[in-house]
Amino acid sequence: MLEALETGVQGGKWHSLMDKVYRPANLRAAWERVKRNRGSSGIDKVSIEYFEVGLDRRLESLAEQLGEGTYRPQPVRRTYIPKPGSTERRPLGIPTVADRIVQTALRNVIEPIFEKMFEPTSYGFRPKRRTYQAVREVDRLLRAGYVWVVDVDIRKYFDSIPPKRLMAQIAEQIADGGVLGLVEAYLHQSVLDGMTLWAPGLGTPQGAVISPLLANLYLHPVDVALRQAGYEMVRYADDMVILCRTREEAEAALVLLRELLDERELVLHPTKTRIANLYERPGFQFLGYVFYSDYRDPRESSQHKIRTKVRELTKLTSGNSLTDIVKGLNAVLRGWMAYFQFCSKNSQAWSNIDGYVRFRLRAILDKRRKGGRTKRRGRGYANNRWTNRYFARLGLFSLHGAPKLVLQP
């Protein structure tokens, strides 16, 4: 396959791929990745730990079913998770462990075929590509004078992809009937929501291992058309910005984008899609950042998310030692800073989060000192007794005091 990726395949289509999907080494590698990613059990209640009992027999059974064409994915268990910065809840599908293994094995085989086609302007859910690279490219284009931005929001993208059109696009590259049948089975996979079982008519199953690859593939022609039209754009899955030098150029780009999406049976969100200017408030948002003038700040929902995580780690009823609590906080704070490393050095967010972390720690210490007899904790006396320097000596990581070189654009 590696050689064929370089030299091309006969007839321009890939045949005989299914045997690579159920090859024992591939299924084993897929299992290892599913195990690393953890995750809940599906409708069969089989957890990662339970699946590992008798692993060899289970993987052999999957290989036999795939080889004989008798494998059928089970319905996806629907659950809902909080949507950051909103009262809405985001639907999430949880496949069974066995289905996650097969999907991963399938992706291992077909992903290199499509990866070779994809545009460098696409960053989401791709090997060796990270969110910070997309943010860095946006920042580079803004500094180069592309200050008019088409802030794109595709309405319910993952739920709106037409399966027939997606399958036709896949069939342009792959002619293996077994692989095509497997992909189509996932696109029509039933969903169990509470006690209701239903089959979606549109979209890729959210939470499925293979969905991000298919979503990237369906927008690939849009990436190509925008590049050929001479536009600078950065896309992370369905989160996209088109960067232009003038408002007129941005307006023309928006017209073209709408035509391209209409042709693919997709719809732009009428209120969230807008033309913005870097130097006009409120700027624009992309991948958790707010871009305005020379400022790059975490947006409100991103700050709300880190505060929520800090609260979880600093419950007043926690029985952990302060050292262990600080250790857990440090891991979260370092990860948050690594993601938002392109924020402005003078961003107020750093000091605000630092102050909130110390307030939560003072509240814990105050409660332990008073035996839980007071409601107003972490202020007044506590603020004077446990100073910022005290927490610094404990090794608490400070966002505001992080090395300045790390926070350079």
Side-chain angles (χ1 to χ4, degrees):
M1 283 191 70
L2 289 173
E3 183 181 351
L5 284 168
E6 295 298 325
T7 61
V9 290
Q10 188 175 3
K13 290 191 177 183
W14 291 80
H15 301 262
S16 302
L17 292 175
M18 194 62 184
D19 62 311
K20 280 86 173 170
V21 174
Y22 60 79
R23 184 171 291 172
N26 187 30
L27 287 175
R28 176 74 60 169
W31 152 253
E32 293 296 340
R33 179 171 291 188
V34 169
K35 181 182 177 181
R36 283 197 305 271
N37 291 340
R38 307 300 301 163
S40 305
S41 58
I43 65 165
D44 60 358
K45 310 270 194 214
V46 175
S47 65
I48 294 285
E49 293 76 16
Y50 188 76
F51 192 93
E52 195 167 14
V53 177
L55 176 64
D56 292 341
R57 177 180 52 81
R58 293 180 186 274
L59 294 181
E60 287 173 10
S61 175
L62 281 177
E64 288 176 7
Q65 293 175 51
L66 289 166
E68 295 169 358
T70 58
Y71 166 82
R72 298 291 182 273
Q74 297 188 61
V76 171
R77 179 169 66 86
R78 173 63 60 89
T79 187
Y80 294 88
I81 58 175
K83 196 173 182 180
S86 172
T87 56
E88 298 178 19
R89 294 189 303 161
R90 190 191 306 275
L92 185 67
I94 303 178
T96 64
V97 174
D99 287 342
R100 299 207 294 269
I101 292 171
V102 176
Q103 284 189 34
T104 304
L106 175 62
R107 189 184 68 183
N108 289 346
V109 173
I110 67 174
E111 185 174 58
I113 297 170
F114 299 119
E115 262 298 310
K116 189 166 178 62
M117 299 165 36
F118 288 162
E119 293 287 312
T121 52
S122 170
Y123 291 86
F125 308 108
R126 294 182 58 190
K128 299 181 181 179
R129 286 180 167 253
R130 300 291 181 268
T131 313
Y132 76 86
Q133 295 171 319
V135 174
R136 183 168 59 190
E137 178 62 7
V138 169
D139 189 71
R140 183 190 71 80
L141 289 168
L142 290 171
R143 294 177 187 279
Y146 295 84
V147 297
W148 286 94
V149 179
V150 183
D151 191 354
V152 179
D153 188 290
I154 303 175
R155 193 169 198 171
K156 296 183 177 179
Y157 173 59
F158 281 82
D159 292 333
S160 302
I161 298 174
K164 285 186 178 180
R165 297 199 57 162
L166 176 59
M167 287 304 304
Q169 198 171 331
I170 296 171
E172 291 175 4
Q173 302 295 324
I174 295 174
D176 186 306
V179 167
L180 293 175
L182 198 54
V183 174
E184 189 157 20
Y186 287 126
L187 292 177
H188 296 287
Q189 199 169 2
S190 297
V191 176
L192 182 63
D193 191 347
M195 298 297 292
T196 305
L197 185 67
W198 58 281
L202 291 173
T204 60
Q206 293 199 30
V209 176
I210 202 169
S211 284
L213 172 62
L214 300 180
N216 272 333
L217 176 63
Y218 195 66
L219 279 180
H220 171 65
V222 177
D223 297 343
V224 174
L226 289 171
R227 173 181 57 78
Q228 291 175 343
Y231 292 111
E232 298 285 353
M233 57 89 70
V234 177
R235 181 171 67 81
Y236 195 96
D238 59 333
D239 203 350
M240 179 196 308
V241 286
I242 306 173
L243 299 103
C244 306
R245 291 189 180 275
T246 66
R247 183 178 184 90
E248 292 73 23
E249 186 183 347
E251 289 173 347
L254 180 55
V255 170
L256 174 60
L257 177 65
R258 184 172 280 112
E259 291 174 355
L260 292 169
L261 295 181
D262 284 348
E263 195 274 330
R264 304 195 70 70
E265 300 179 41
L266 300 173
V267 178
L268 287 171
H269 196 289
T271 57
K272 294 182 181 179
T273 299
R274 53 188 282 270
I275 293 177
N277 184 284
L278 177 65
Y279 296 102
E280 295 177 3
R281 288 189 181 278
F284 69 98
Q285 299 184 14
F286 184 62
L287 296 180
Y289 281 80
V290 175
F291 293 83
Y292 169 68
S293 187
D294 294 328
Y295 296 99
R296 312 286 184 266
D297 287 336
R299 67 184 185 186
E300 285 299 323
S301 60
S302 301
Q303 296 185 49
H304 175 76
K305 191 173 181 179
I306 185 67
R307 286 172 180 266
T308 300
K309 186 63 179 177
V310 168
R311 277 199 301 274
E312 292 173 357
L313 294 173
T314 56
K315 292 179 179 178
L316 296 182
T317 55
S318 173
N320 295 333
S321 69
L322 197 62
T323 302
D324 287 340
I325 294 173
V326 166
K327 187 181 297 184
L329 286 169
N330 284 351
V332 170
L333 294 173
R334 287 179 186 276
W336 199 74
M337 191 206 71
Y339 184 90
F340 288 103
Q341 60 182 286
F342 297 104
C343 282
S344 306
K345 289 186 292 184
N346 58 348
S347 173
Q348 191 62 37
W350 306 115
S351 297
N352 290 344
I353 299 301
D354 279 345
Y356 183 71
V357 170
R358 290 190 294 264
F359 162 72
R360 294 290 300 181
L361 291 174
R362 289 186 181 110
I364 291 174
L365 291 169
D366 213 12
K367 178 178 182 297
R368 291 176 179 179
R369 179 180 70 89
K370 296 178 179 178
R373 291 192 302 273
T374 179
K375 293 182 179 181
R376 186 174 175 82
R377 305 185 185 97
R379 307 180 190 278
Y381 172 82
N383 199 54
N384 295 325
R385 177 169 179 176
W386 296 291
T387 63
N388 296 357
R389 188 173 296 178
Y390 170 82
F391 294 115
R393 286 196 298 268
L394 275 178
L396 178 65
F397 181 76
S398 169
L399 293 168
H400 182 72
K404 299 301 180 184
L405 286 176
V406 176
L407 305 179
Q408 293 292 335

